[in-house]
Structure formats: structure tokens, C-alpha cells
Amino acid sequence: MENRYAIILAAGKGTRMKSKLYKVLHPVAGKPMVEHIIERVVETEPTEIVTIVGHGAEMVKEQLGDRSEYTLQAEQLGTGHAVMQAAEFLKGKQGTTLVISGDTPLLTTQTLNNLFDYHQGKKASATILTAHAEDPTGYGRILRDHVGIVEKIVEQKDATPEEARTQEINTGTYCFDNEELFAALEKIGTNNAQGEYYLTDIVEILKNDGQTVAAYQTEDFEESLGVNDRIALANANEIMRRRINRQHMVNGVTFIDPASTYIDAGIEIGSDTIIEPGVQLQGKTVIGSDCVIGAHSKIVDSIIEDNVEIKSSVLEEAIVRKNADVGPHAHLRPQADIGENAHIGNYVEIKKATIGENTKVGHLTYVGDATLGKDINVGCGVVFVNYDGKNKHHTTVGDHVFIGSGTNIIAPVTIADNSVTAAGSTITEDVKEGDMAIARARQVNKAGYASHLPF
């Protein structure tokens, strides 16, 4: 296979986004748009990738890392001018160069490979990726002659009324013979409505030089969507979510209502898992098989093993192990590790704590900075008091312990195996194995006192 190169155009500010965030870093299905692009480009196995950066250059470099070379377009003088900036890396090299915009996150690897193959099959100097648009407003139009050969691309602002009626549009993605590309770039000018160097002018230049210009039309118009404002961003997210959900369903996952389920790109879900409406799965979350993820749960960067049920809860950087259940309305914060067959009930918050197998934390309880063993029952309203106002402290609870309702456990403290804390106790000292700790004031009844109260 001949050498493949790629140029990613990521220098535009994106003023229509009306945002402090650089346009290509706006997320689609949990990933910045430019991240989607470089992932697809890498999958085409190019020899070299060059990203053209401008506004927000350092943030783009931080996102893409060493997967690309970088060059700065200091002035925004058009797409042709942007591609010129890659000359220091690519000029004079033999091969095919893909030029792709960093704000077209819906393009697929299959389409890009098809474009490469079509370009090489036609032995073209340039091949344009096109699409059929029912409403082509805003896109450059592909103009062909009477036998279907591409003559030129005309931009919306430069199109005559007749040209504007053309429904085959330019997606802004191309393959070029690399040497022909940089030779043609030296001939383009700024005689157009925008006063910019249009990359599209290369088509006419190559035609005038007797070179072959081809066009490969993708079957899916949605892939051509460029994100220039918040409306297009919302559309891109909707389309990407549909793709993601569809693929999970193909893989054996049940969605009760796919339209109201929001799953980031890259999430893993095992077969026979059921996803209820309103669920959000984000980041690097992995869901096992035979799970039930209940309505309106939000799970971020977490691992859910097989046969787990999550009911209307929020999980962040947590682990829930096999056959456990969580919720409803529980909150697992970072470093919560829930053991096999454990139960975390309603309005329970777990933070930086390990919960052993078969342990039950039923309701209205906070467990922070703690290690709990197996077969523990934690009663209602228990608080692991881990913070003294300056430092966090750790609590260790052994196996087969009963923590009575309303117990306050003041860390640091150790509660040994087979022990009990009485309901309403405030535990400030270690509890030895087999002991019961009672730490509460003795009740005193004041005879007849209530009759003197003013209510």
C-alpha cells in the first residue's frame, strides 16, 4: 500500500459557537470533536498526521498528544492557506494525503477507507468526498459536466442561483496526490467573496492542468455534518448517540427507550444487560453482562461487574462487583468499592470506602474513608465521621459486625469482628472482638414537666 498522510484542519476559532471553549474541543458523545477525527484517521493507518492549529493550539495539542505533528496557522486566511502550513512536513513526499476538518465528528473509518480506495482506483489527483443533501444551503456545491465529470466546487456565497440548486455537496474532506496538492497550492488566489485562499480552488487548477478529479459520494448524508454552532452540535450528539445505542443493541443489550438514553463513545456493555430510560453512561465506564441499569442513573468512569442492579443512582469512579445492588438514590463517589452480593440502599453515600461481600448498608447512611468487612449490617442513619475539619481519618470494621441505627463512628477507630454497636451510640474508641459498644447518655424522665410547656 502506498504512503498515506493526513492533514486535520483544526485552526478555526468557531465564533458561531459563542463559547470560550475552542470549537473542535466541544464534546460529541463525551469526546471532543477532534478526538473523534483523529481516532478515525489513525484507523486508516497513515504514515504521518499533521494537525493545523490556531486558536486554542495548546489545548488541541494536549488533547491529541503525540499522535500528530502540529503546525500553526497564525492568520485565518482560508482552508487553502491552512493546508499550506503542512508543507514543512509533507511537501515533496510521494503518496496520498487525506484532508479532513476537525469539526466533522460523524465521519466513519469505513467511509474514509472507501475514499482512499476510490481515489487510488481512479488514479486521481484529487477526490472529493461528497453527499446528497435535500437542503444544500450552506454547503459548497459539486458541479459536473454533462457526462458526470467533476468540473469544480463552488462555495455558497459565490454560487449563481442555478448552481445553488445543485444538491450534491462538498463535505470538506478530500484525498489528494500529495505532490500535486502542494504544487497546486502555489497557484491558488483570493479572488472570491471571502477574500480567502479556498482549498476548493485546487479542483479547477488540477482540471486546467489536465489532471483527473474524482468524487466519491457517501451513502449517509449525516456523516457530512460540520459543527459550526450549538444547533449543529446538538444534532451531531443526537446522531452519534443513535449510532452508539444501535451498536450496543446489535451486541445484545436491551434499551427500553433508546431515544432517552445517553451513552458516551467507547463505553463497554455486556450482553443481556437492560438499560432503562434516562440513563447516562459516561467516560470510561464498563458494564458487565446481565445487569439492570435503572431509570435516570448516571454512571461515570466506573466498573460494574456481572449481575448487578443499579436503581436510579449516581456513580463516579466506583466499582460494583458481581451480584451487588445499589439504590435507589444512592451516591457512590470516587474509590467506592462495593463487594460481591453487597447491598447499598436508598440515600446512602459511599466515598473512598471498601464494602465487603454480603454487607448491607440499607439507608440514610454515609460511609467515607473506611474499610468494611463481609457480612456486616449497617443500620439506618449511621455516619462514619471521617473529617476533623483539617484531615480525613480512616475507620476499619471487621467481619460479621452489627452497626446499630444512628451510630456515629468517629474516625480513626477500629471495630473488630463479631462486635455490635448499640443504636444511637457515638463510637470514639476501638471495639474489641465480640464486644458490644454502648456510648449514649442515660435517659432521664422529668415527671410532669411537659404540662408546664407553653404549647
Side-chain angles (χ1 to χ4, degrees):
M1 184 175 73
E2 70 171 352
N3 288 334
R4 289 182 175 182
Y5 310 104
I7 299 172
I8 299 174
L9 304 181
K13 185 176 182 180
T15 54
R16 281 182 281 172
M17 297 294 286
K18 295 182 170 60
S19 175
K20 297 182 289 296
L21 182 64
Y22 186 45
K23 181 174 74 168
V24 298
L25 295 177
H26 278 266
V28 171
K31 290 183 179 181
M33 289 190 282
V34 73
E35 179 65 27
H36 286 286
I37 291 298
I38 199 164
E39 286 180 358
R40 302 295 80 76
V41 168
V42 167
E43 288 167 355
T44 68
E45 300 181 353
T47 305
E48 192 169 358
I49 300 171
V50 179
T51 300
I52 314 301
V53 294
H55 299 283
E58 293 307 314
M59 289 184 288
V60 174
K61 291 178 181 180
E62 183 178 354
Q63 177 65 43
L64 303 186
D66 61 5
R67 291 173 291 178
S68 176
E69 303 287 353
Y70 302 93
T71 185
L72 180 68
Q73 185 187 19
E75 294 184 86
Q76 309 299 295
L77 301 178
T79 52
H81 180 259
V83 174
M84 291 176 192
Q85 311 312 305
E88 62 176 303
F89 294 102
L90 299 180
K91 187 175 181 180
K93 294 182 178 180
Q94 293 184 337
T96 298
T97 296
L98 173 73
V99 177
I100 187 169
S101 296
D103 62 359
T104 52
L106 299 174
L107 286 166
T108 64
T109 306
Q110 183 64 54
T111 293
L112 297 181
N113 279 327
N114 288 346
L115 177 63
F116 271 115
D117 293 343
Y118 189 87
H119 174 79
Q120 292 165 359
K122 291 292 184 180
K123 295 181 171 56
S125 292
T127 303
I128 310 153
L129 180 64
T130 72
H132 177 84
E134 291 300 322
D135 179 7
T137 303
Y139 291 93
R141 310 303 201 277
I142 304 299
L143 303 183
R144 297 176 183 263
D145 64 17
H146 65 286
V147 295
I149 295 174
V150 175
E151 290 190 322
K152 65 177 180 176
I153 304 170
V154 61
E155 299 299 326
Q156 170 85 31
K157 293 180 179 180
D158 299 309
T160 66
E162 182 180 357
E163 291 170 339
R165 287 192 289 273
T166 302
Q167 289 183 294
E168 186 177 12
I169 58 97
N170 175 25
T171 68
T173 300
Y174 315 85
C175 275
F176 293 101
D177 175 282
N178 188 67
E179 292 173 293
E180 296 285 354
L181 169 63
F182 285 98
L185 283 170
E186 295 177 357
K187 301 177 183 179
I188 63 174
T190 59
N191 184 25
N192 52 62
Q194 295 289 92
E196 294 181 347
Y197 294 95
Y198 287 164
L199 183 61
T200 51
D201 288 348
I202 286 181
V203 170
E204 199 165 358
I205 291 169
L206 291 173
K207 292 282 292 182
N208 291 338
D209 288 345
Q211 303 297 328
T212 299
V213 176
Y216 172 74
Q217 187 172 125
T218 177
E219 295 179 0
D220 185 357
F221 170 73
E222 290 182 338
E223 288 194 40
S224 69
L225 179 66
V227 176
N228 293 309
D229 57 28
R230 304 291 181 136
I231 298 168
L233 181 65
N235 290 338
N237 270 287
E238 181 182 359
I239 293 165
M240 187 69 80
R241 286 198 305 268
R242 287 204 308 265
R243 284 185 190 174
I244 291 167
N245 292 355
R246 185 185 303 117
Q247 189 58 52
H248 284 301
M249 288 186 280
V250 168
N251 293 340
V253 179
T254 294
F255 287 76
I256 304 302
D257 182 12
S260 67
T261 306
Y262 305 89
I263 299 180
D264 282 357
I267 299 290
E268 299 177 28
I269 308 176
S271 63
D272 291 315
T273 284
I274 298 171
I275 309 292
E276 294 186 349
V279 167
Q280 300 178 61
L281 303 180
Q282 300 178 351
K284 298 178 181 180
T285 292
V286 177
I287 309 287
S289 300
D290 301 292
C291 295
V292 177
I293 309 300
H296 308 294
S297 293
K298 181 177 180 179
I299 303 176
V300 183
D301 293 326
S302 296
I303 297 172
I304 311 299
E305 295 186 351
D306 297 343
N307 296 294
V308 167
E309 182 173 8
I310 309 293
K311 305 169 193 166
S312 303
S313 296
V314 176
L315 286 71
E316 307 162 87
E317 300 176 33
I319 300 173
V320 183
R321 302 191 185 275
K322 294 179 182 178
N323 304 306
D325 67 277
V326 176
H329 308 300
H331 187 186
L332 304 189
R333 293 169 57 192
Q335 299 183 57
D337 187 336
I338 311 304
E340 293 187 17
N341 297 294
H343 167 66
I344 307 299
N346 51 297
Y347 301 104
V348 171
E349 182 176 349
I350 311 286
K351 188 272 296 182
K352 198 177 180 182
T354 299
I355 310 298
E357 63 182 77
N358 298 307
T359 287
K360 296 176 174 60
V361 186
H363 33 222
L364 300 165
T365 289
Y366 171 70
V367 183
D369 294 277
T371 301
L372 278 65
K374 62 185 179 181
D375 298 305
I376 296 170
N377 187 85
V378 179
C380 178
V382 171
V383 178
F384 283 68
V385 185
N386 59 326
Y387 184 47
D388 64 9
K390 184 177 181 180
N391 298 304
K392 301 289 180 70
H393 301 281
H394 195 84
T395 293
T396 301
V397 181
D399 299 335
H400 312 290
V401 172
F402 185 94
I403 306 294
S405 295
T407 298
N408 291 318
I409 301 172
I410 313 298
V413 70
T414 297
I415 300 173
D417 296 348
N418 303 297
S419 58
V420 174
T421 70
S425 295
T426 297
I427 304 301
T428 59
E429 299 178 3
D430 291 351
V431 180
K432 295 180 180 179
E433 184 170 358
D435 287 357
M436 181 174 75
I438 304 174
R440 60 193 183 205
R442 183 177 297 276
Q443 181 174 325
V444 176
N445 294 343
K446 301 292 186 179
Y449 185 82
S451 62
H452 299 292
L453 297 176
F455 52 81

